[in-house]
């Protein structure tokens, strides 16, 4: 395996960590270490100026409206660098509130907040909140993607923009279109948390392989024994589709 250290930047975990995002970082770390890939989880704190020069994977988690606005203002100050990172094939994963920041704008109460405009989408609000378990078919992995969603935002993709997947169970972007999340280059935006990656090893490996390819030119990952993870994933899918889970 290459001696290149894969750097994962966890952006503002103090502000955006409502949905177990530390579990996503642990998943990245262990799945690379088990393969002999050197990895650094680099936390970027509110007092830091984010830099993406040597970053391979950037992660933005979910938070409340107040924290989301603070983070967006901070990221807008380095917006050109983030855009360059994305256009150069950098891997960016954004969950829930972080997902909403990727677009042109999102509503905070009656105030329209400017987003990063990394992807052609925008988010407004609806009622009621879209809450509950979710199952999605995504082209990024062989297994169904499972998790939990809890959002008042309704995210609308621009014409021709590719969603993360098709909703099998749950609500997704807006509760109407049947689509969930967004894909653009190596950007993944999604409302799915719980956390996302430990429940869905195929998504973790998709991000790792693309980061590795950009860093070293080689994307091959040694297979791991994901028997336990996939059994838990499949059991939850079967229970949800059979109507065995009572949603609040």
């Amino acid at each position: 395996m290459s001696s290149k250290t894969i750097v994962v930047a966890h952006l503002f975990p103090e502000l955006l960590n409502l949905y177990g995002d530390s579990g996503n970082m642990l998943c990245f770390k262990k799945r690379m270490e088990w393969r002999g890939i050197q990895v650094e989880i680099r936390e970027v704190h509110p007092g830091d100026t984010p830099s993406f020069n040597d970053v391979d994977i950037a992660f933005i988690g979910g938070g409340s409206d107040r924290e989301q606005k603070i983070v967006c203002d901070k990221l807008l100050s380095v917006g050109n660098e983030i855009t360059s990172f994305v256009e150069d094939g950098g891997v960016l994963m954004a969950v829930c509130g972080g997902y909403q920041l990727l677009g042109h704008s999102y509503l905070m109460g009656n105030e329209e907040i400017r987003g990063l405009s990394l992807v052609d989408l925008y988010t407004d609000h609806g009622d009621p909140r879209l809450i509950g378990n979710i199952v999605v078919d995504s082209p990024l992995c062989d297994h169904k993607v499972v998790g939990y969603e809890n959002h008042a935002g309704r995210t609308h993709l621009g014409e021709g923009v590719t969603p993360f997947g098709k909703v099998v169970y749950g609500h997704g972007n807006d509760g109407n279109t049947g689509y969930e999340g967004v894909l653009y280059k190596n950007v993944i935006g999604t409302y799915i948390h719980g956390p996302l990656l430990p429940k869905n090893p195929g998504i973790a490996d998709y991000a790792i392989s693309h980061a590795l390819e950009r860093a070293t030119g080689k994307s091959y990952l040694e297979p791991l024994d994901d028997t336990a993870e996939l059994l838990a994933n499949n059991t939850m899918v079967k229970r949800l589709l059979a109507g065995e889970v009572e949603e609040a």
Side-chain angles (χ1 to χ4, degrees):
M1 185 58 64
S2 170
S3 60
K4 168 71 167 70
T5 297
I6 300 299
V7 176
V8 182
H10 188 185
L11 300 176
F12 312 112
E14 301 96 330
L15 299 175
L16 301 181
N17 193 24
L18 282 182
Y19 305 119
D21 291 324
S22 59
N24 289 319
M25 295 303 101
L26 181 60
C27 184
F28 273 141
K29 184 173 188 293
K30 298 308 294 184
R31 292 188 74 81
M32 283 190 258
E33 288 179 344
W34 288 335
R35 293 175 164 114
I37 302 171
Q38 297 183 62
V39 56
E40 175 191 349
I41 305 297
R42 180 182 300 168
E43 292 187 351
V44 179
H45 302 290
D48 300 335
T49 298
S51 174
F52 298 84
N53 289 334
D54 61 345
V55 169
D56 301 292
I57 301 174
F59 185 91
I60 311 174
S64 69
D65 284 349
R66 175 182 175 276
E67 282 76 19
Q68 191 173 323
K69 185 176 187 303
I70 293 171
V71 168
C72 191
D73 289 343
K74 191 74 173 178
L75 293 179
L76 282 170
S77 70
V78 292
N80 289 338
E81 189 174 348
I82 299 174
T83 298
S84 295
F85 173 75
V86 166
E87 294 302 314
D88 188 47
V91 176
L92 173 61
M93 297 193 70
V95 173
C96 204
Y99 169 32
Q100 296 173 353
L101 298 183
L102 302 181
H104 302 302
S105 64
Y106 63 96
L107 281 183
M108 182 185 296
N110 293 321
E111 181 183 6
E112 185 177 76
I113 306 298
R114 176 187 167 199
L116 296 171
S117 292
L118 294 173
V119 187
D120 184 15
L121 60 87
Y122 71 93
T123 300
D124 55 24
H125 277 250
D127 189 50
R129 294 184 70 85
L130 303 179
I131 304 174
N133 292 285
I134 184 168
V135 179
V136 170
D137 273 328
S138 175
L140 302 193
C141 63
D142 295 333
H143 61 75
K144 293 190 186 308
V145 180
V146 299
Y148 199 81
E149 58 181 332
N150 182 354
H151 54 101
R154 270 47 170 188
T155 296
H156 309 278
L157 306 183
E159 185 175 355
V161 175
T162 303
F164 173 65
K166 185 76 171 62
V167 176
V168 177
Y169 179 100
H171 304 289
N173 281 338
D174 58 10
N176 293 313
T177 61
Y179 293 114
E180 204 290 319
V182 72
L183 299 176
Y184 173 74
K185 294 186 180 290
N186 288 334
V187 175
I188 300 173
T190 179
Y191 278 114
I192 302 175
H193 53 79
L196 171 68
L197 299 182
K199 295 181 177 181
N200 301 287
I203 301 302
D205 283 355
Y206 175 89
I208 293 168
S209 66
H210 281 72
L212 193 66
E213 182 176 25
R214 177 172 177 262
T216 70
K218 299 178 181 179
S219 61
Y220 174 74
L221 296 178
E222 292 287 344
L224 296 177
D225 182 1
D226 290 325
T227 302
E229 291 88 341
L230 293 177
L231 178 60
N233 177 295
N234 191 48
T235 298
M236 192 62 184
V237 170
K238 287 183 176 179
R239 291 187 63 205
L240 289 169
L241 298 187
E244 297 175 0
V245 178
E246 183 176 348
E247 301 284 5

